[in-house]
């Protein structure tokens, strides 16, 4: 088990406060935080999923989705259990909402794959790209950080490009510490509405907006994904505001409008194609690079 970065121990009690994401969970001894994968053991915080990927695949880079970053490439992709959000419509809920609090014995069954082995496997398959994806990479921050840093080790000359696919719910300090080792991001912007974030995701939109701002300011490649769900985040004025917000930073920014299918706890119809086309037209009034996904 790897001791977590970004936490403090609170006074004389064995409580810890995690400072990795805006949840800033206060965790008592023997329990995990909201993400279900960072555990207080005797007053120290540990990442339970360090080196424990539950998904390893080779994907087309367009599947992340990234359309303007080395198109046509294949990317070695990993993910673990856990997420710091609990979106009621999560498309990957079987791994993202799996809490190790009650199920930690399963860790024994998952093979340990070190950062060196991740890089070795990527090179073994003749690939030059690694993605931290599937579940929310922030919750396996230390594993992602060490792997990405290894990819950029000047002594090894691996020349591997690194990609993070994230909900953007990460505090500024860990994000800034990670940035030197990441080449490209795809950030989910789930709505342009704090109420949606709170009610359906248990999240905070301002953090994701801040993450987008920092990534753009630091001149990393960024593409944004918006999952359009009929009757939940389909207010056209609100979407126009989102597009204007993105345009303020960069009108060349790539926006993916993705079709939603019912998953997990939320019941809705698959996004009508007509609605997707209407949102595409709205986005095109502000941004040059807009794509429809999942259609
Ligand atoms: S990363 Fe997990 S434990 Fe840390 S603050 Fe976020 S949800 Fe809580």
């Amino acid at each position: 088990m790897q001791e977590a970065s970004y936490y403090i121990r609170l006074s004389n009690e064995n409580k810890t406060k995690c400072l990795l994401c805006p949840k800033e969970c206060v965790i008592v001894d023997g329990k995990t935080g909201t993400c279900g994968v960072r555990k207080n053991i005797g007053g120290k915080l540990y990442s339970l999923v360090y080196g424990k990927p539950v998904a390893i695949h080779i994907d087309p880079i367009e599947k992340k989705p990234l359309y303007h970053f080395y198109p046509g490439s294949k990317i070695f992709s990993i993910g673990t259990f856990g997420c710091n959000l609990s979106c009621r419509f999560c498309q990957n809920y079987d791994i993202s909402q799996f809490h190790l609090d009650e199920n930690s014995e399963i860790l024994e069954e998952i093979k340990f794959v070190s950062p060196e082995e991740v890089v070795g496997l990527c090179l073994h398959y003749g690939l030059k790209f690694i993605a931290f994806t599937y579940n929310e990479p922030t919750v396996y921050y230390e594993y992602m950080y060490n792997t990405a840093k290894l990819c950029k080790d000047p002594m090894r000359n691996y020349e591997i490009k690194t990609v993070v696919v994230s909900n953007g719910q990460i505090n500024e300090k860990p994000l800034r510490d990670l940035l030197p080792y990441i080449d490209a991001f795809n950030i989910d912007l789930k709505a342009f509405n704090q109420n949606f974030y709170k009610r359906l995701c248990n999240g905070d939109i301002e953090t994701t907006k801040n993450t987008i701002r920092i990534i753009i300011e630091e001149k990393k490649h960024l593409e944004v994904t918006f999952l359009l769900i009929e009757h939940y985040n389909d207010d056209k004025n609100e979407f126009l505001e989102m597009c204007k917000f993105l345009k303020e930073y960069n009108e060349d920014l790539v926006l993916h409008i993705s079709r939603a299918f019912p998953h997990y706890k939320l019941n809705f119809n698959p996004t009508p194609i007509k609605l997707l086309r209407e949102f595409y037209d709205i986005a095109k009034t502000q941004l040059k690079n807009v794509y429809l996904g999942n259609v």
Side-chain angles (χ1 to χ4, degrees), residues 18-25 27 32-38 45 83-84 138-139 169:
C18 179
L19 302 173
L20 181 55
C21 92
K23 290 275 186 309
E24 301 205 341
C25 302
I27 310 169
T32 60
T34 302
C35 57
V37 296
R38 303 173 75 78
L45 194 64
C83 187
N84 50 4
T138 297
V139 307
Q169 299 282 296

Side-chain angles (χ1 to χ4, degrees), residues 192 209 212-213 216-217 240-253 286-287:
F192 209 57
K209 284 164 69 178
I212 287 172
R213 178 183 65 77
I216 292 173
E217 283 174 3
L240 179 61
E241 290 310 307
M242 179 197 285
C243 296
K244 286 181 178 170
F245 161 78
L246 296 173
K247 182 189 179 182
E248 257 178 50
Y249 290 111
N250 182 0
E251 65 182 329
D252 290 328
L253 187 141
Q286 305 298 318
L287 299 165

Side-chain angles (χ1 to χ4, degrees), residues 33-34 53 63 66 116 127 136 138 141-142 250 277:
T34 302
K63 202 177 161 191
L66 288 177
E116 289 76 13
L127 304 174
E136 172 51 44
T138 297
Y141 183 92
E142 298 77 11
N250 182 0
R277 293 222 171 94

